[in-house]
Amino acid sequence: VQLVESGGGLVQAGGSLRLSCTASGSIVRIHDMGWYRQAPGKQRELVTSITRSGSTNYEDSVKGRFTIARDNAKNTVYLQMDSLKPEDTAVYYCNARIQRTLLSAPTDYWGQGTQVTVSS
């Protein structure tokens, strides 16, 4: 199983970016999906998550600015980031809880990370 991210980059404060993450490989079912971020010198933190049925959860600092969505048919999760701030600068990681067979328990998988840099 692989999670491949795309969409990071450099943007000015107030701008927008859209991240995508697609899972591929031997997959029976993808449960929760989410986005984490890690800024230099800080621990990785959960930014937002979404269940298979579409229920979402957001970290307080991104509420109203970030939107998570998923396409179950494409095994893809998206993160629309608007009104970006310099403090949003970090490496963003996709996470997915994936069930590989009907009898196996779901396991966490991670993307390679994509850099998001917001200039002031």
Side-chain angles (χ1 to χ4, degrees):
V1 173
Q2 277 192 316
L3 270 61
V4 178
E5 304 171 15
S6 62
L10 172 64
V11 65
Q12 288 188 331
S16 298
L17 283 173
R18 186 184 191 224
L19 307 182
S20 299
C21 172
T22 299
S24 63
S26 178
I27 298 171
V28 168
R29 188 177 186 88
I30 301 178
H31 298 265
D32 291 2
M33 304 183 82
W35 291 93
Y36 288 70
R37 66 185 179 187
Q38 187 167 18
K42 294 188 177 181
Q43 289 189 329
R44 189 175 299 188
E45 64 174 358
L46 175 64
V47 177
T48 178
S49 63
I50 184 168
T51 66
R52 183 171 180 82
S53 62
S55 297
T56 59
N57 178 59
Y58 294 93
E59 193 268 328
D60 285 346
S61 70
V62 307
K63 285 181 180 177
R65 300 188 298 121
F66 289 11
T67 303
I68 189 171
R70 66 188 283 173
D71 185 333
N72 291 330
K74 295 181 178 180
N75 290 342
T76 299
V77 62
Y78 306 95
L79 180 62
Q80 178 67 40
M81 304 184 291
D82 298 318
S83 302
L84 282 161
K85 303 176 180 180
E87 50 263 45
D88 294 319
T89 295
V91 177
Y92 283 70
Y93 297 90
C94 168
N95 170 267
R97 182 152 290 189
I98 295 174
Q99 188 175 355
R100 298 191 62 187
T101 72
L102 290 174
L103 298 180
S104 63
T107 303
D108 280 335
Y109 289 86
W110 294 88
Q112 79 281 8
T114 186
Q115 177 70 46
V116 171
T117 302
V118 184
S119 63
S120 57

